[in-house]
């Protein structure tokens, strides 16, 4: 995060309540300091404590964006999961108020720039949670989640995300899943990053090569980074949870 002059890592830590989000920071990418697990401020209109639910796929916007009240904020995309039965048998699904689809979806939460500048640990205390996007197209049938940190483009914020189809049996073991992970994209409004301007009805990237179709979890392309190098943009992605691949992302101007 250039404005903070620090590298911020979001990661998943596993505990009694399943996978939870946590944050670490570094000045040099060699030595890291843990800020601790993420805490989601209780929001009465959701009638749900997000801290009780598993959560994964978290990425911060690299620079401040307008918060819900217009105040400059750091925003984090993440993916709460409402079905507790996969690690706590018999518990079932608990949906927030106003949500009628239990498939894992992309959410956003905020923290004010002023709070973070006063104490970097404020990055772990987020508020104003809202759903950004839920599965909509066939390649997202089971769930969607964030990928690389959003990239600023002329039209807004470009989010390369993953979508999942197939079958996920009860339990948490990913090697037992029969799924296909593809990569799509969506544009978020620069003035309101909870608002989707456009999204791809078909995936941009699907498992095709042997390295993408065979590995720890078969048939997975999982985007994790976008980087511009020598004027070209590249997406770094996981191949079947076993290797790292690189794809070139080219912009085309089309009117149809």
């Amino acid at each position: 995060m250039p404005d903070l002059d620090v590298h911020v890592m979001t990661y998943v830590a596993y505990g009694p309540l399943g996978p939870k989000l946590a944050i670490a920071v570094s000045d040099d990418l060699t030595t890291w300091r843990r800020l601790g697990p993420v805490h989601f401020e209780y929001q009465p209109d959701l009638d749900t404590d997000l801290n009780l639910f598993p959560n994964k796929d978290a990425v911060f916007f690299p620079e401040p964006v307008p918060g819900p009240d217009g105040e400059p904020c750091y925003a984090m995309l993440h993916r709460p999961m409402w079905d507790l039965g996969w690690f706590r048998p018999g518990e079932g699904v608990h949906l927030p108020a106003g949500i009628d689809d239990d498939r894992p979806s992309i959410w956003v939460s905020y923290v004010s720039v002023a709070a973070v500048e006063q104490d970097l640990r404020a990055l772990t205390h987020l508020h104003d949670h809202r759903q950004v996007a839920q599965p909509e197209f066939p390649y997202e049938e089971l769930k969607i989640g964030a990928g690389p940190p959003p990239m600023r483009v002329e039209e807004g914020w470009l989010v390369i995300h993953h979508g999942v189809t197939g079958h996920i049996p009860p339990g948490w073991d990913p090697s037992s899943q029969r799924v296909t992970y593809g990569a799509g994209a969506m544009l978020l409004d620069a003035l309101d990053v909870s608002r989707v301007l456009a999204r791809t009805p078909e995936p941009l990237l699907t498992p095709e090569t042997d390295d993408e179709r065979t590995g720890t979890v078969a048939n997975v392309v999982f985007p994790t980074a976008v980087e511009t190098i020598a004027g070209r943009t590249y997406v770094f992605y996981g191949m079947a949870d076993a290797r790292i691949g690189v794809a070139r992302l080219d912009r085309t101007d089309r009117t149809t």
Side-chain angles (χ1 to χ4, degrees):
M1 289 185 173
D3 288 2
L4 298 175
D5 194 29
V6 68
H7 301 282
V8 178
M9 178 198 298
T10 58
Y11 66 97
V12 174
Y14 196 86
L17 295 179
K20 297 288 186 178
L21 301 176
I23 296 175
V25 295
S26 175
D27 296 322
D28 57 11
L29 295 177
T30 299
T31 302
W32 291 85
R33 175 167 60 94
R34 290 178 173 86
L35 300 186
V38 170
H39 175 81
F40 295 100
E41 184 178 300
Y42 180 73
Q43 191 165 312
D45 65 310
L46 292 178
D47 193 28
T48 298
D49 185 352
L50 266 64
N51 300 292
L52 300 178
F53 294 87
N55 206 319
K56 300 177 74 176
D57 300 319
V59 290
F60 275 99
F61 287 76
E63 62 187 59
V65 300
D69 60 358
E71 178 186 15
C73 287
Y74 288 104
M76 185 183 78
L77 300 178
H78 56 101
R79 191 187 68 192
M81 294 174 281
W82 312 118
D83 184 0
L84 301 179
W86 66 279
F87 74 95
R88 194 185 303 162
E91 186 66 31
V93 175
H94 300 265
L95 291 175
I99 302 298
D100 56 11
D101 190 331
D102 66 353
R103 292 177 296 176
S105 303
I106 298 175
W107 285 59
V108 66
S109 298
Y110 302 84
V111 57
S112 74
V113 168
V116 175
E117 289 178 344
Q118 183 174 356
D119 186 345
L120 199 59
R121 290 173 296 182
L123 285 172
T124 64
H125 292 265
L126 301 168
H127 53 78
D128 288 298
H129 327 297
R130 54 200 63 197
Q131 188 182 74
V132 176
Q134 62 186 38
E136 182 174 336
F137 300 109
Y139 76 98
E140 306 168 329
E141 177 186 11
L142 294 182
K143 58 184 177 180
I144 59 174
M151 181 179 183
R152 190 69 166 90
V153 294
E154 181 181 348
E155 297 86 352
W157 287 97
L158 175 65
V159 175
I160 306 294
H161 71 287
H162 66 272
V164 186
T165 60
H167 173 67
I168 299 178
W172 59 269
D173 182 4
S175 65
S176 66
Q177 300 177 4
R178 299 294 178 265
V179 294
T180 297
Y181 278 68
M186 60 182 70
L187 278 170
L188 305 183
D189 190 337
L191 299 179
D192 178 4
V193 296
S194 70
R195 177 171 174 255
V196 178
L197 299 177
R199 56 195 291 186
T200 54
E202 297 179 355
L204 301 178
L205 189 68
T206 57
E208 295 178 0
T209 71
D210 290 343
D211 288 335
E212 296 164 353
R213 297 181 65 85
T214 304
T216 305
V217 182
N219 297 313
V220 171
V221 292
F222 196 102
T224 57
V226 175
E227 198 69 37
T228 300
I229 303 172
R232 293 192 179 275
T233 301
Y234 298 91
V235 178
F236 294 78
Y237 66 98
M239 294 174 151
D241 283 14
R243 295 174 177 84
I244 297 172
V246 186
R248 199 177 79 195
L249 180 64
D250 293 328
R251 179 182 180 121
T252 59
D253 293 315
R254 293 190 298 179
T255 58
T256 60

